[in-house]
Amino acid sequence: MTLLYRRALLAGLTLTPVLLPRKARAEQLHPLTEATRSKPPKPLPAAKFATLDGKVATLAPYLGRIVVLNFWATWCPPCVAELPALDTLAALAPDITVLAASSDHGGADVVRPFATAHAITHLTLLLDAHGAIGRNFDVQGFPTTLIIDRLGLLRATMVGPAAWDTEAAGIRALCS
């Protein structure tokens, strides 16, 4: 996906989906070693996400825990390819909180049936329907995943799909 297309998406513009790859496969998932480390670790801006049931969620309740915060969309093939790995990470690493913030404009009406159809059961799904939170967190394309330490500081950013189901130890090491 080109940088111009990513920026257009974040600005809320609609471009032809022909620019997206037709299919993303599991073997296209990248290792965590490709993440960009934040040196020094930096605080994240405050954010209020919507939940699937219409409530408001923030990152504050997760202080003291490692957080993997993924920005994704249902129309993004690489995002769809990596969601099962994120769901598996959430199931296998109870000490790591895995949050997936959808940037779909349709909000819960789009995300809820998508999660059901793809058997996403362990992730905490959040909504960023207009991409404002993603822009505040400097997300420039999908998927983008932030690794946040126990103090609430950004430790690393992964742009592109990753094999999260095998990365629990690497995530813990980044946050120690």
Side-chain angles (χ1 to χ4, degrees):
M1 184 180 330
T2 68
L3 182 59
L4 174 63
Y5 189 67
R6 288 178 186 166
R7 288 190 176 161
L9 290 173
L10 287 171
L13 302 175
T14 303
L15 298 178
T16 176
V18 174
L19 296 174
L20 290 174
R22 283 274 182 220
K23 185 177 180 184
R25 293 181 298 275
E27 62 266 14
Q28 294 173 320
L29 300 179
H30 304 289
L32 183 58
T33 55
E34 293 183 19
T36 302
R37 292 177 190 240
S38 182
K39 292 185 181 178
K42 63 182 181 179
L44 292 169
K48 291 184 179 179
F49 296 92
T51 65
L52 291 182
D53 59 0
K55 296 180 181 171
V56 175
T58 68
L59 297 178
Y62 303 109
L63 281 175
R65 296 185 53 81
I66 295 171
V67 175
V68 173
L69 174 59
N70 178 265
F71 288 88
W72 68 288
T74 60
W75 47 260
C76 166
C79 300
V80 174
E82 94 172 331
L83 274 180
L86 283 163
D87 196 55
T88 300
L89 173 65
L92 297 178
D95 61 315
I96 298 173
T97 298
V98 184
L99 308 172
S102 167
S103 295
D104 286 281
H105 290 283
D109 293 338
V110 172
V111 175
R112 189 179 293 109
F114 178 88
T116 301
H118 289 84
I120 303 301
T121 58
H122 299 95
L123 289 176
T124 298
L125 295 172
L126 303 172
L127 304 172
D128 181 21
H130 300 287
I133 299 167
R135 283 189 296 278
N136 285 343
F137 284 30
D138 200 29
V139 172
Q140 297 186 18
F142 301 113
T144 294
T145 306
L146 309 178
I147 309 292
I148 304 163
D149 70 13
R150 290 173 182 86
L151 299 174
L153 301 175
L154 177 65
R155 288 298 185 126
T157 302
M158 179 71 177
V159 178
W164 297 108
D165 52 347
T166 61
E167 294 293 354
I171 293 166
R172 289 182 194 106
L174 272 173
C175 293
S176 58

